[in-house]
Amino acid sequence: QVQLVESGGGSVQPGGSLRLSCAASGISLGGYAIGWFRQAPGKEREGISCIPIPNTGTNAYSADSVKDRFTIVRDNSKNMVYLQMNNLKPEDTGVYYCATAVACMVVGGNLIGFRSSNQGTQVIVSS
C-alpha cells in the first residue's frame, strides 16, 4: 500500500523558514515526479512546486507565488523529499501536501496528474 506522510509544519514569523518532509512507504520516490500542494483556509488546493524524475530532462515547476523562496530537495537514500521554505509570508499559511506523478505537468497554471496524501502538515505564518 502506497502511503505519503508529511511532517515539519508549525508556526513561524514572517521572514522565517521551515523545512517540510515527505516520507513514503510502498514506493520509491526516486521513480516519481514529486509535487507539493497547499490549501489555504477557505481556498482550493493549489500546486506550488514540482521536481521531475531525475535524469529525464523534463521541466521542474514553481508557482510565481513561491519562486525563489521554496525549493524541493530529494534524498533518495532515505526515500524522502523535502520542501525548503524561506522568507515565509502570511499568505503561505495553509496545509501542505506532497504528491507523486509521472511528470510535472502544468495545465492552465495547475499541476495535474498527481496522487497526493490526505494528511498534510499545517503551516502558520503570523507575527
Side-chain angles (χ1 to χ4, degrees), residues 29-36 48-54 56 58-62 71-76 80-83 99-105 111 114:
L29 292 180
Y32 292 87
I34 306 299
W36 281 92
I48 56 172
S49 189
C50 180
I51 188 169
I53 299 172
T56 57
T58 55
N59 294 328
Y61 170 78
S62 186
T71 304
I72 299 180
V73 178
R74 293 181 180 271
D75 186 340
N76 290 335
M80 298 279 292
V81 173
Y82 306 97
L83 180 67
T100 60
V102 296
C104 298
M105 294 180 287
L111 284 169
F114 280 81

Side-chain angles (χ1 to χ4, degrees), residues 48-101:
I48 56 172
S49 189
C50 180
I51 188 169
I53 299 172
N55 304 315
T56 57
T58 55
N59 294 328
Y61 170 78
S62 186
D64 288 343
S65 60
V66 304
K67 198 164 291 183
D68 299 327
R69 299 189 298 123
F70 291 10
T71 304
I72 299 180
V73 178
R74 293 181 180 271
D75 186 340
N76 290 335
S77 67
K78 297 181 179 178
N79 204 26
M80 298 279 292
V81 173
Y82 306 97
L83 180 67
Q84 178 66 45
M85 307 188 296
N86 298 325
N87 190 23
L88 283 160
K89 303 176 180 181
E91 52 264 42
D92 294 320
T93 294
V95 180
Y96 283 70
Y97 304 86
C98 61
T100 60

